[in-house]
Amino acid sequence: MKDVNAVEKKNAASRRRFGFSRQSLCIPYGVFLLFFVLFPLLLVAYYAFTSADGTFTFANFADFFADKTKVSTLLISIIVCILVTALCLVIAYPVAYILAKMKKSVAFIFLMLFITPMWINFVLRAMAMKELLSLIGIPLGNFANIIGLVYDFLPFMVLPLYSTLIKMDKSLAEAAADLGAGKVKVFTSITLPLSMPGVISGAMMVFLPVMSCYVITDTFSGATGFSVVGKLISWCFLGENGTLSNINGGATIALVLLVIMFLTMWLTGGFKDEDGARGTNL
Amino acid sequence: MKKFLSFLYIALILAFIYIPIIILVVYSFNKGKTIGIWEGFSLKWYEKLTDIKNVLFNTITLAVVSSLIATVLGTLGAIGIFYNKKKTGKFIKGLSQIPIVNSEVVTACALVLLFIIFRLPHRHIVWLYIGHIILTTPFVVLSVMPKLKQMDGSLYEAALDLGATPTQALFKVVLPEIMPGVFSGFMLAITLSLDDYIVTATLSPLDFDTVSTAVYKAIALTTETASQRVPTYRALTTIIFLLTVAIVVIINVKPNKRRKANENR
């Protein structure tokens, strides 16, 4: 009897020890995140509100909003993001819808066809599109920019839409049809509202990255096309040849971008980890 | 008719995605430099890949090493977060979301500020690795987490009762259970690292090029020497494309069969 007690005590002790050691496993990652993610973001805020000599000021923001080219780049970025997201959505939704109605084994093959290009380096994909455009004679500029952005981000939209549509309870749509709803009505009042989570997570995967994706706009804009706000930030930090030219100004724009990001997150209800990116949970 | 239209639509979008890549693949075997002018079959651009072997080596080393570190850090982190039911776990999980939703430019430039404030040399290979680990670790956590949730909690209780030490239980019971998640996290980390441009361009030493930055110099900055390399990058794209297709086919032949079996049941 005493023996059993001793064993149980030992087990409880080791369980406690084990419990503790299991929990402490997140310490390295936690410290890493605090030091390399949270602290630098606080630094962004600090630099945005200080001048080059370290005194508190709002001048950086005043400078930013007084600079017409910077403000217009920001506004154009937002408009372009909305446009590209909408285009990707309009193109990808029917794809996901058709795939969701297919036999699963066939749909899987098509899905693979859609996401395979994501594993090719995106700069190389941009190069492929640029060469095609020059081959068929579309000049660099705003239009080419939009094509380049849609081309790059389209695959990211298909997957979240498909995974929401496939999980949807099909009996609801059938019930609506049985109750006399027309095809359009079934789509607008059943399918579309139910697929909103997929729409939102797909849009998030396009909207925010487009803001900072200056590689594409640098490639396709030529001399006349627009640029995105990410370019402004990298200009301040990289300048022409890798020098730090205007840290405080750059931090200011970065803070504006952070605020936009948090606003989008707040408006859309945030990022859901189960949606996954790039077919994590395929 | 409806079926035909659906099929046509899918085919059209697939054409939009694949035509640029296929043209690139075809012209990578072209003797000449310009796309659209066929001058005869040649493998010379593939031979020229040796010119960029430095770039390839940099890219692959960076991806593999940073992903390995990210996988260890992220797996431990996920286990820790999972068993920390209280605030700490939630807090770390929340922090872990930041690099996922934050734009890469902001992540990279925030890091630059960190090095400035500690007066560390800006642009150093170590910062580049740290930057990539920041980018990829959250995705490792994301792919390990579901496996922890699926795991039978009583398994390592059993291991402990049978006399295993906590470390043994962790390595012999927990780790094998979550291994598929760890592996897919590692693969995801590699693809993200290979695909990154912004963090690399902001943090790497100036003479350090990965595929992304090297190709960027060729197609966006179009400097004379960099543009000379464009046909070589076509050959590189072809190789990456064929490798990807091969990997996708190999990985999916098995599950696809299983899926079919499930459907027939």
Side-chain angles (χ1 to χ4, degrees), chain A residues 116-129 151-152 156 215-216 278, chain B residues 21 24 55-56 59 132 190-197 200 210-216 219 233 236-237 240-241 244:
Chain A
T116 300
M118 289 204 289
W119 282 295
I120 299 176
N121 184 296
F122 85 104
V123 192
L124 285 174
R125 265 188 294 142
M127 179 178 89
M129 193 33 121
Y151 182 65
D152 218 61
F156 293 94
V215 175
I216 305 294
R278 300 190 173 225
Chain B
I21 299 171
L24 220 63
V55 172
L56 297 177
T59 312
H132 276 242
I190 288 215
T191 58
L192 286 168
S193 169
L194 288 177
D195 224 25
D196 172 73
Y197 168 81
T200 313
T210 63
V211 171
S212 299
T213 56
V215 178
Y216 173 84
I219 62 167
Y233 297 139
L236 179 63
T237 312
I240 295 177
F241 179 61
T244 313

Side-chain angles (χ1 to χ4, degrees), chain A residues 195-224:
Chain A
S195 60
M196 265 337 256
V199 171
I200 287 173
S201 69
M204 298 277 290
M205 248 168 248
V206 178
F207 187 81
L208 291 169
V210 168
M211 284 264 195
S212 61
C213 195
Y214 63 86
V215 175
I216 305 294
T217 50
D218 279 359
T219 306
F220 289 94
S221 62
T224 56

Side-chain angles (χ1 to χ4, degrees), chain A residues 11 14-15 17-19 21-30 32-41 43-44 46-47 90-92 94-95 98-99 101-105 108-110 112-132 135 147 150-151 154-156 183 204 208 212-215 218-219 230-231 233-234 237-238 241-244 247 251 254 257-258 261-262 265 271 273 276-278 280 282, chain B residues 2 6-7 9-10 13-14 16-21 23-24 35-36 73-74 76-81 83-84 91-93 95-106 109-118 122-123 130 133-134 137-139 141-143 145 149 156-157 160-161 166-167 169-170 174 184 188 191-192 194-198 201-202 206 211-212 215-216 219-220 222 230 233-234 236-237 240-241 244-245 248 252 256 259-260 263:
Chain A
N11 272 346
S14 82
R15 212 169 286 158
R17 194 149 45 97
F18 188 38
S21 82
R22 273 184 306 185
Q23 283 164 20
S24 61
L25 285 178
C26 64
I27 290 174
Y29 187 43
F32 180 82
L33 285 171
L34 281 177
F35 191 69
F36 288 114
V37 175
L38 188 64
F39 182 54
L41 286 185
L43 284 179
V44 168
Y46 170 77
Y47 274 92
V90 168
I91 297 171
V95 170
I98 294 166
L99 290 188
K101 291 214 160 179
M102 277 180 176
K103 233 180 98 182
K104 262 197 182 158
S105 51
F108 186 74
I109 294 170
F110 276 108
M112 274 297 145
L113 280 174
F114 276 102
I115 60 178
T116 300
M118 289 204 289
W119 282 295
I120 299 176
N121 184 296
F122 85 104
V123 192
L124 285 174
R125 265 188 294 142
M127 179 178 89
M129 193 33 121
K130 190 183 186 184
E131 303 214 278
L132 176 72
L135 184 67
I147 295 181
V150 171
Y151 182 65
L154 185 63
F156 293 94
K183 274 186 180 169
M204 298 277 290
L208 291 169
S212 61
C213 195
Y214 63 86
V215 175
D218 279 359
T219 306
K231 183 72 186 167
I233 303 177
S234 90
F237 279 87
L238 294 177
N241 43 19
T243 51
L244 302 161
I247 299 162
L257 207 57
L258 268 174
M261 182 198 90
F262 278 115
M265 297 289 293
F271 177 81
D273 50 329
R278 300 190 173 225
T280 350
L282 200 73
Chain B
K2 210 181 129 202
S6 324
F7 187 75
Y9 183 76
I10 298 279
I13 304 301
L14 280 176
F16 172 66
I17 293 178
Y18 280 97
I19 283 177
I21 299 171
I23 288 179
L24 220 63
I35 275 199
L73 197 64
L76 293 181
I79 297 174
I81 293 170
Y83 291 110
N84 253 316
F91 179 65
I92 296 177
K93 204 179 168 189
L95 277 186
S96 181
Q97 304 271 25
I98 294 178
I100 298 177
V101 291
N102 205 353
S103 25
E104 272 180 52
V105 190
V106 179
C109 295
L111 267 182
V112 173
L113 292 180
L114 181 75
F115 306 135
I116 290 174
I117 208 157
F118 285 106
H122 168 230
R123 291 191 169 273
I130 290 176
I133 294 167
I134 293 172
T137 313
F139 288 93
V141 174
L142 276 191
S143 42
M145 238 9 163
K149 282 179 190 154
Y156 40 72
E157 297 287 326
L160 286 186
D161 288 347
T167 330
L170 197 67
V174 180
S184 68
L188 192 62
T191 58
L192 286 168
L194 288 177
D195 224 25
D196 172 73
Y197 168 81
I198 292 173
T202 314
L206 283 174
V211 171
S212 299
V215 178
Y216 173 84
I219 62 167
T222 51
V230 167
Y233 297 139
R234 283 180 205 145
L236 179 63
T237 312
I240 295 177
F241 179 61
T244 313
V245 171
V248 168
N252 288 307
N256 218 13
R259 257 163 215 250
K260 271 185 189 151
E263 258 171 46

Side-chain angles (χ1 to χ4, degrees), chain A residues 47-58:
Chain A
Y47 274 92
F49 285 108
T50 48
S51 60
D53 56 8
T55 47
F56 179 83
T57 174
F58 284 110

Side-chain angles (χ1 to χ4, degrees), chain A residues 239-260:
Chain A
E240 194 85 69
N241 43 19
T243 51
L244 302 161
S245 59
N246 180 4
I247 299 162
N248 299 85
T252 311
I253 311 171
L255 193 64
V256 173
L257 207 57
L258 268 174
V259 170
I260 294 176

